Structures are given as C-alpha cells and as structure tokens.
Amino acid sequence: MPLEQLLARLAPGSPEEALARQIDFGRLPAHVALIMDGNGRWAAMRHLPRVEGHRAGIDAVRETVETSARLGVGVLTLYAFSVENWKRPRSEVSTLMQLLKQYVRLEIGTLVDNNIRFRVIGRPEGLAPDVREELAEATARTADKTGMLFNIALNYSGRAEIVDAVRQAIAAGLAPSDLDEGRFSEFLYTAGQPDPDLLIRTSGEMRVSNFLLWQIAYSEIWVTDTLWPDFRCRHLLEAIVAYQKRDRRYGGIGPTRALAAQPR
Ligand code: IPE
Ligand code: IPE
Ligand code: MG
C-alpha cells in the first residue's frame, strides 16, 4: 500500500520511482531525524540575503514531511532552531520565527488531512508568545491524529534536554537506584518514541550540533552535500535505501557475521 501511495505521486521512469521500488517497506526506519542545514550557503551562492535561504527551505520541509508520511515512517523529527542559534543576528532570528509561524499556519490543514500529529520538542518558554501560541494551536489541532508523529525541534539543545530530564527525575522523587536507561528516557522530550534509526544531515557537515544526543546512540548517519533548500523526495528516498543496506550491529557481530560464525 505505501508503495502504491508513493508511486501515485512520482513520475513514471523518474529516479524517484526507481528508488521507491528499491525500498523494503517492511524495514522502514521507525524514526527519521533530520538536521536541516545549508540555507545560508544556498542564499550566498545566489548573492541573496541568508533569510532567502530559510524561505526557500520551506518547500523542502513540506516535501520531506509529506513524503515521510506517505512512506509510512512513524516519527519524523526536524531540527529547526537550536538554543545556540540565538547567537545569530537579531533580524535573521526574527525572520526565521516569522517563517516558522507562517509555515505552521499554512500547513496545519495539510497535516490534519494527512493524519499527522505535530509536536514541538525543546524549551518553548524561550520562544516569543505569538510563536508559542501558533505552535500550541497546531499541537492541539493534531493531538488526536494517529498517523506519523512530526516533531519539530525548536529552541532545542541535546544537552539541555538531558539536564531537563535529570531535573524532572529529581522532581518526581526518583531515588538514584530507581534510575536506569529505560526510566531515564521517560523524562526526555521524546518519551515514548522510538530512538531515531536514521539521522540525516544536509550540507555536508560531519557533526551532530547538539541534536538528540541521548537518542542517536545507535542511529545510522547519512550526510549529503545537498543544501537544505535543494533537498527533495529523491534525497530522502536515497537516504532510506542507503540505510537499508547498513549492517546494524549494536556492538555485537551482526546477523551476517553471526550466521558465518555458527558451528557447522
Ligand atoms: C540551517 O541553515 C537553518 C538553521 C540552522 C536555522 P543555516 O542557516 O545554518 O545555513 P548555513 O549552515 O549557514 O549555510
Ligand atoms: C544545526 O545547524 C542546527 C539546526 C539545523 C537548527 P547549525 O548551522 O546551527 O549548526 P553548526 O553551527 O554548523 O554546528
Ligand atoms: Mg548551518
């Protein structure tokens, strides 16, 4: 079903169609996390102000969200604004926040139609009241949706998330001996969600920039040189095809080697 759903949207004979046919829908990543990077460079290459890169990035967000939902990915997390991004010029930050509001307002109907549940992870208290209001409305309007969960990481920091989780665990009265990795993860912003199987980063940077530090312990990382505003369905399909070829070992020897190691 997801293949037909996807193919209905893809041009016959296109590279996207060929990629879609390579995907094993029984082994999709349950959670895809994505560091959207390279908007500023995209704009600079065109002699445009940086904010034009952010504006152009909205089409990539739209296509990524819709393709992921159509594929049948369970959770998609997009890194949109880090705690460290406040270091940028005020005008860039305020345009980014306005674009975010616009995106949410314009897309809410599509999210509802596609049965997508929208959630924000990060420290919302650091965001302006008008932005928080827009986000709260989108969260409330999609709260009963049962399809893909779409997390947007805003005013997010992986280290801050861990500190917040520790604070919450203490506030809940947990004794040190009560705490293990499973209990701890229930205090994270992503409580109840699977860890990302696949972490994508655009624009070629080989770093995680304080994103989901706890959750990506065993994520498969896929980096593309494509700048975020140029990221399309094809790139997401490429990432998933590459992910499905990985041998995930989790510190063990993996199924292929385990088979070879069996006594005959
Ligand atoms: C990603 O693009 C968007 C955000 C971090 C908000 P950048 O703005 O970081 O673009 P580059 O990395 O400077 O090209
Ligand atoms: C990571 O991109 C943060 C987001 C995508 C929101 P940055 O552009 O902020 O990361 P660095 O500064 O290159 O590490
Ligand atoms: Mg960047």
Side-chain angles (χ1 to χ4, degrees):
M1 185 59 187
L3 178 63
E4 280 79 60
Q5 236 171 265
L6 196 64
L7 290 179
R9 291 291 187 121
L10 304 176
S14 63
E16 288 81 0
E17 190 204 14
L19 285 161
R21 290 192 185 281
Q22 285 179 57
I23 291 176
D24 175 354
F25 285 85
R27 287 193 310 118
L28 282 175
H31 184 167
V32 176
L34 210 155
I35 303 174
M36 311 184 283
D37 197 19
N39 295 355
R41 277 162 282 172
W42 184 95
M45 281 167 63
R46 289 161 179 77
H47 309 287
L48 294 169
R50 291 178 56 84
V51 293
E52 292 310 315
H54 299 318
R55 207 182 304 282
I58 293 182
D59 287 340
V61 172
R62 198 173 287 124
E63 190 156 324
T64 302
V65 171
E66 286 177 32
T67 307
S68 302
R70 213 156 270 134
L71 271 166
V73 166
V75 185
L76 173 72
T77 303
L78 299 185
Y79 199 7
F81 193 84
S82 73
V83 163
E84 291 76 20
N85 287 149
W86 293 107
K87 293 175 194 160
R88 296 181 178 209
R90 263 175 81 149
S91 58
E92 180 178 342
V93 171
S94 81
T95 308
L96 261 169
M97 293 296 162
Q98 288 316 306
L99 287 170
L100 170 72
K101 266 176 64 180
Q102 259 177 42
Y103 167 79
V104 173
R105 195 169 306 161
L106 284 172
E107 288 303 302
I108 180 76
T110 313
L111 299 182
V112 169
D113 291 347
N114 287 290
N115 198 24
I116 296 170
R117 185 154 56 103
F118 176 82
R119 274 205 49 198
V120 180
I121 61 168
R123 286 179 167 169
E125 63 276 14
L127 300 168
D130 59 327
V131 176
R132 285 169 67 175
E133 224 168 88
E134 203 70 50
L135 297 169
E137 192 184 327
T139 306
R141 276 191 58 194
T142 61
D144 62 344
K145 297 300 162 231
T146 54
M148 186 179 81
L149 172 59
F150 168 25
N151 295 311
I152 188 154
L154 280 174
N155 198 26
Y156 177 89
S157 145
R159 286 187 171 180
E161 179 179 22
I162 292 169
V163 170
D164 286 352
V166 172
R167 285 180 178 157
Q168 286 217 39
I170 294 170
L174 249 76
S177 58
D178 291 338
L179 211 54
D180 57 20
E181 292 178 11
R183 288 299 296 279
F184 184 75
S185 66
E186 290 167 20
F187 293 101
L188 294 170
Y189 306 148
T190 53
Q193 303 177 22
D195 286 338
D197 295 302
L198 172 62
L199 171 67
I200 299 174
R201 182 164 187 150
T202 59
S203 88
E205 305 292 355
M206 298 289 182
R207 53 179 174 258
V208 294
S209 301
N210 207 1
F211 191 39
L212 300 174
L213 296 181
W214 172 280
Q215 297 90 333
I216 61 171
Y218 269 104
S219 302
E220 293 297 327
I221 302 175
W222 188 82
V223 177
T224 173
D225 286 335
T226 303
L227 303 174
W228 178 249
D230 294 326
F231 191 89
R232 287 294 176 273
C233 169
R234 176 166 64 83
H235 304 100
L236 181 63
L237 299 177
E238 269 173 21
I240 293 175
V241 168
Y243 159 81
Q244 291 189 331
K245 290 183 179 150
R246 301 273 178 94
D247 188 7
R248 300 184 80 185
R249 295 199 285 274
Y250 300 98
I253 58 174
T256 325
R257 292 170 194 209
L259 210 63
Q262 261 175 19
R264 283 164 213 268

